[in-house]
Amino acid sequence: VSRPPQPRDDSTVDRRHLLRLAGRSALGFGALSVLAACGDGARTSAPAPTRAARAPASTSSASAVTASTQDGEPTASWWERGNFAPVTAETTAHALPVEGALPPELDGLYVRNGSNPRSPAGHWFVGEGMVHGVRLRGGRAEWYRNRFVRTPVYEQGELPPGPPGYANGYANVSVVHGPADRLLCLGEIGQPYELDPSDLSTIGLFDFAGGGALGPNVTAHPKIDPATGRMHFFGYGLLEPPFLVSYTAAPDGTLERVEPIGVGASTMIHDFAVTDRDAIFWEFPVLFDLDLAIGGEAMPFRWEPSYGSRIGVLALEGSGADVRWVEIDNGFVFHGLNAFRRGDEIVVDVCRLDSVFDDAPFGTQASHLHRWTIRDTGTQLTFRSERLDDAQLDFPFVDRRFVGRPNALGFFAEFEHLDGAPIATSLVRRDDRTGAIERWDGAGLQLGEPLLVPAGDGEGEGWLLSFAHDQASGLAGLVVLDATNVRAGPVATVHLPVRVPFGFHGTWVPGDPT
Ligand SMILES: [Fe+2]
């Protein structure tokens, strides 16, 4: 167990100084709206110009990612090409054609969020949030809608002045069916925005009942305990401490726990894990860099190996001061699959990269499933890590009924690099009891995060849903697979009349939001 590193002089941000700089320059704070999103776990920083940057990006350790033609003209970055490119229209379509047979028990809304910039963006993670939803009922696909999330960024057509956080975020990373039956869009930077599941319209900012204690930023990856219904989550600070805060919301949406945690600097922390009694945080050496932000970097984080990496274990009911840390090898993790207690050990399965936001071109690094085993003697933590598979897996999805409990199954998207871009081309079911991987190869379609809608009592019994992009037609489908027989491919495909760009994370809202 070790103490977190102490803040260094150059990691302590003087917010007043920052505000003065922003007030003097034409840059504003657009460049600070860093949106750390999600994906295949294969990305690094991208010093392409941002929409807000009127000055060149500052010196960065990251290499340029924008290719050039022979005459030197820049070509589009991969997140501006193919099915990464945004769409402009908001579409409503009813009575969608279905190929195959939709399971009648699928009664609810599948909805997925993503970054959909309305002006050129300097990074895949940066752009207005757009949700795409399909309402399924009685074996029919009743409607499809896509809607921008009505944040101030959307309403004003540009990033509002002022520091990022609170209302000032894109809400573009995930959508979660959260406490008090609320449907929340989350963006990691900024607070949640609530949607109406009946038509995907934006209700407004959601800061929890008894709010006011909620900090500026909320992770896009909260965890809902299947036994208690409590939502555990965290936020990290960019400009000033606390740089990490652990939260718990009651099932009725009341914010009942706010616990600042001492860490040495503002680092990008995209996800975490919970057991039935612990919150597990991972901190890697990806530091928020004010100079990069002021210089107009779309993603102002830098790889700083000397900062080190560590895992923090904190009781779900505990004080932030009681967090215990164990040092680990440098690397980076966007997404965890699950965590659970096993005797005096905590098992955490994650999709791990060797590094990120370093010199490697954005999007080229592979993510692999690793198992962290943390032995907890009560006073001391020890750590070991093993790679579980060589497949390039990310977008992990655990049966939500097993969050924090021993799980045998994991669902993933499997990625390839095509024309320089990370593309999900298979959906995968991995059985940890045997290590066996079963995959559907996508039949030439390009895929997204697999989402499990439970049906039946056993782990992994249910339906696996993902948007799919058909390059031939340029249109999207919603594929539905039997999660117990992934290799058989879709039992049904809902054909959509439009393209659905690659995005990040989705959820299922059961029942009847009309
Ligand atoms: Fe994510």
Side-chain angles (χ1 to χ4, degrees):
V1 180
S2 67
R3 304 291 300 172
Q6 295 305 300
R8 304 181 323 184
D9 288 342
D10 63 356
S11 65
T12 303
V13 174
D14 184 332
R15 188 176 176 180
R16 287 170 301 180
H17 175 64
L18 188 56
L19 289 167
R20 282 198 302 274
L21 278 175
R24 283 207 304 263
S25 75
L27 188 61
F29 270 93
L32 283 180
S33 285
V34 286
L35 274 290
C38 331
D40 70 326
R43 58 188 59 84
T44 57
S45 71
T50 72
R51 70 180 66 193
R54 296 177 178 85
S58 63
T59 302
S60 168
S61 62
S63 59
V65 298
T66 305
S68 297
T69 58
Q70 283 189 338
D71 60 4
E73 289 299 312
T75 58
S77 301
W78 59 254
W79 57 87
E80 299 172 309
R81 302 193 309 253
N83 196 43
F84 288 94
V87 295
T88 55
E90 293 185 319
T91 299
T92 302
H94 290 92
L96 306 161
V98 177
E99 178 182 347
L102 272 176
E105 66 207 40
L106 278 175
D107 183 352
L109 170 70
Y110 171 69
V111 57
R112 196 219 65 195
N113 204 347
S115 169
N116 195 91
R118 290 194 295 165
S119 55
H123 198 283
W124 188 33
F125 297 172
V126 177
E128 283 83 346
M130 176 181 274
V131 289
H132 300 258
V134 179
R135 176 70 168 101
L136 305 177
R137 180 179 1 218
R140 301 182 309 279
E142 294 191 332
W143 54 257
Y144 161 82
R145 284 179 169 88
N146 68 313
R147 295 291 183 271
F148 282 103
V149 187
R150 262 56 176 184
T151 62
V153 180
Y154 176 84
E155 298 289 359
Q156 299 176 28
E158 60 182 7
L159 288 156
Y166 298 102
N168 193 1
Y170 289 122
N172 67 0
V173 179
S174 70
V175 54
V176 172
H177 187 219
D181 209 26
R182 307 297 186 106
L183 183 60
L184 305 177
C185 284
L186 299 162
E188 183 163 322
I189 303 303
Q191 294 180 340
Y193 277 81
E194 183 181 0
L195 301 184
D196 181 341
S198 71
D199 61 5
L200 303 184
S201 60
T202 301
I203 295 171
L205 198 66
F206 181 80
D207 64 355
F208 297 90
L214 188 66
N217 303 316
V218 173
T219 177
H221 290 286
K223 309 294 180 221
I224 298 176
D225 187 297
T228 68
R230 286 189 165 90
M231 187 169 91
H232 305 288
F233 60 104
F234 69 93
Y236 65 85
L238 291 177
L239 302 179
E240 57 191 359
F243 291 127
L244 181 61
V245 181
S246 173
Y247 298 99
T248 302
D252 69 359
T254 303
L255 191 60
E256 60 181 18
R257 179 174 163 277
V258 179
E259 287 293 332
I261 295 172
V263 293
S266 174
T267 61
M268 177 187 285
I269 306 176
H270 182 68
D271 191 4
F272 79 134
V274 297
T275 74
D276 60 348
R277 75 198 77 161
D278 317 281
I280 314 293
F281 302 98
W282 44 82
E283 194 194 28
F284 288 107
V286 173
L287 272 66
F288 176 70
D289 188 315
L290 185 57
D291 290 336
L292 293 180
I294 292 172
E297 194 78 38
M299 192 56 55
F301 288 87
R302 64 183 160 85
W303 176 252
E304 181 54 65
S306 64
Y307 185 73
S309 301
R310 56 201 58 82
I311 293 174
V313 177
L314 175 64
L316 287 177
E317 312 298 331
S319 161
D322 295 332
V323 67
R324 294 175 296 154
W325 297 93
V326 59
E327 297 292 314
I328 65 174
D329 290 341
N330 280 345
F332 195 76
V333 169
F334 281 102
H335 298 121
L337 172 67
N338 197 27
F340 55 87
R341 285 266 178 177
R342 184 176 62 192
D344 65 356
E345 293 180 334
I346 301 169
V347 176
V348 191
D349 286 352
V350 298
C351 296
R352 181 187 178 278
L353 299 80
D354 288 336
S355 64
V356 76
F357 295 94
D358 60 355
D359 291 336
F362 176 81
T364 60
Q365 290 171 315
S367 177
H368 298 103
L369 183 63
H370 281 65
R371 171 154 300 162
W372 293 339
T373 305
I374 305 161
R375 185 161 177 267
D376 180 3
T377 65
T379 56
Q380 202 167 31
L381 303 175
T382 59
F383 170 85
R384 68 178 190 275
S385 176
E386 61 180 316
R387 182 158 147 173
L388 295 180
D389 200 278
D390 290 335
Q392 189 173 328
L393 304 179
D394 212 299
F395 279 166
F397 201 95
V398 70
D399 186 326
R400 295 295 190 248
R401 299 169 293 186
F402 289 77
V403 168
R405 278 68 179 176
N407 65 292
L409 301 175
F411 298 92
F412 305 87
E414 185 174 14
F415 286 81
E416 297 179 49
H417 285 91
L418 302 174
D419 194 21
I423 308 280
T425 52
S426 298
L427 299 182
V428 164
R429 173 188 186 270
R430 182 180 182 278
D431 189 331
D432 191 60
R433 291 164 294 202
T434 61
I437 272 185
E438 181 183 330
R439 63 169 56 81
W440 172 55
D441 67 4
L445 300 172
Q446 298 180 335
L447 305 163
E449 173 193 63
L451 178 138
L452 178 74
V453 180
D457 295 331
E459 182 188 356
E461 292 182 3
W463 305 103
L464 214 56
L465 276 57
S466 173
F467 281 128
H469 172 64
D470 182 349
Q471 289 180 282
S473 68
L475 301 177
L478 173 64
V479 293
V480 179
L481 286 75
D482 179 347
T484 67
N485 189 13
V486 168
R487 94 167 42 88
V491 299
T493 301
V494 179
H495 290 285
L496 306 181
V498 294
R499 187 169 65 82
V500 174
F502 297 132
F504 306 126
H505 304 288
T507 196
W508 174 254
V509 183
D512 189 8
T514 71

